[in-house]
Amino acid sequence: MQQANWVPAGTDLDKPNAARMYDYYLGGSHNFEVDRMMARKAMALWPELPEIMRANRAFLRRAVQFLAESGVTRFLDIGSGIPTFGAVHEVAQATRPDSRVVYVDHDPIAVAHSRLLLKDDPQSNVIEADLRDPAGILARPEVEELLADGEPVALLLVSVLHFITDEDEPYRLVGQLRDALPPGSALVMCHASLEGRPDQAEAHQDLYKRTPTPMTMRNFAAVEAFFEGFELLEPGLVYMPQWRPEDPESVGPNPERMTGLVGVGLKP
């Protein structure tokens, strides 16, 4: 069988990959049967997972579109996974064709897939780096160029900080990145919440303890603390469907079931 043109040479197609599983949850086509099998197992434990992932991507799209419409043309997406199905560069460039994006992920499989997908987009770059090494990220030429002339940059930390344990000092990491951003820059964040689904939180964290990426779900105050040094925009820190919905009717009576707390803050 001919290998799809988005699949890097040498890819192990017998092992599931978290980034491709996420693409499957979104209804995308950049995944394999091994990814779909693992995703279905996760969905057996938490049937709403695909809906949660779609709410996460919908928030990302709304936030990027809002910032692009506000004049932001530079985006640094850390923990990006595979940029498919409404990715940052597509949303931003639809509003501002001159938008530039640097995708950052520590998963070599996700990075390899991303480079093939973006090979014809000169305004998008992909680098392999780890959020736990912000100095290393900031030292990469692609990121230095993004920050070089002091234009506002949108720092996207969407569904990545809950994979950073307390021992890795997540507030220090975010602080280092914040301090490198020019004035007028933005932080876009989504973080798994303990309060949203307390009936599922413990079991979900236990599941991730058996993977290379354990999950640390945090409470409202702990998530809000990541915005130190930023001014939270209205409506503040809320559940995913509540952040500037295109249709207020779409929020529904129980937005907390989507579990993710989200916000957008501006650096003065």
Side-chain angles (χ1 to χ4, degrees):
M1 183 176 67
Q2 184 177 6
Q3 188 156 282
N5 61 7
W6 61 273
V7 181
T11 298
D12 187 344
L13 304 184
D14 296 320
K15 292 183 179 179
N17 175 264
R20 295 195 306 255
M21 287 171 61
Y22 181 67
D23 177 73
Y24 172 68
Y25 289 134
L26 293 176
S29 59
H30 293 80
N31 53 76
F32 306 120
E33 181 56 29
V34 66
D35 307 308
R36 297 187 282 272
M37 288 177 60
M38 181 60 73
R40 286 191 285 265
K41 289 180 182 178
M43 289 159 56
L45 295 174
W46 196 337
E48 292 171 311
L49 274 177
E51 187 179 357
I52 291 170
M53 301 303 179
R54 289 193 291 269
N56 176 76
R57 183 50 63 100
F59 158 71
L60 175 62
R61 176 181 51 76
R62 295 196 304 274
V64 169
Q65 184 174 345
F66 164 76
L67 290 170
E69 290 173 350
S70 301
V72 176
T73 61
R74 298 168 188 230
F75 297 83
L76 177 59
D77 186 358
I78 301 178
S80 54
I82 302 172
T84 64
F85 213 77
V88 172
H89 69 286
E90 295 174 344
V91 176
Q93 290 171 9
T95 298
R96 292 290 301 262
D98 55 337
S99 292
R100 296 159 56 191
V101 182
V102 176
Y103 291 104
V104 182
D105 206 284
H106 77 287
D107 178 359
I109 294 176
V111 170
H113 284 318
S114 301
R115 284 177 174 156
L116 277 179
L117 285 169
L118 296 169
K119 61 183 175 62
D120 296 323
D121 184 347
Q123 293 169 208
S124 298
N125 286 294
V126 186
I127 63 173
E128 183 178 342
D130 197 315
L131 175 56
R132 290 168 292 191
D133 179 22
I137 292 175
L138 294 169
R140 295 294 293 266
E142 299 90 342
V143 178
E144 287 185 331
E145 183 181 0
L146 203 68
L147 296 166
D149 57 8
E151 291 291 321
V153 173
L155 170 62
L156 311 179
L157 298 175
V158 178
S159 298
V160 64
L161 282 168
H162 47 239
F163 293 117
I164 303 296
T165 65
D166 292 335
E167 289 74 18
D168 286 320
E169 302 180 273
Y171 299 100
R172 177 184 60 81
L173 305 180
V174 175
Q176 283 186 250
L177 293 168
R178 176 199 63 222
D179 292 346
L181 296 175
S185 293
L187 170 62
V188 177
M189 192 179 71
C190 176
H191 196 298
S193 160
L194 282 170
E195 290 101 339
R197 288 294 303 273
D199 58 317
Q200 291 279 9
E202 184 175 354
H204 205 58
Q205 290 184 104
D206 286 344
L207 176 66
Y208 273 87
K209 285 177 183 176
R210 302 196 294 270
T211 75
T213 52
M215 177 180 284
T216 302
M217 302 172 83
R218 296 182 171 95
N219 63 27
F220 186 96
V223 175
E224 190 175 42
F226 284 112
F227 284 95
E228 181 181 356
F230 294 91
E231 297 176 356
L232 265 172
L233 300 178
E234 292 292 334
L237 187 66
V238 294
Y239 290 107
M240 291 186 286
Q242 295 175 306
W243 197 88
R244 304 193 179 205
E246 294 169 349
D247 176 11
E249 296 294 323
S250 68
V251 174
N254 301 109
E256 74 281 357
R257 295 184 70 82
M258 295 300 98
T259 72
L261 287 169
V262 300
V264 176
L266 292 184
K267 179 178 177 179

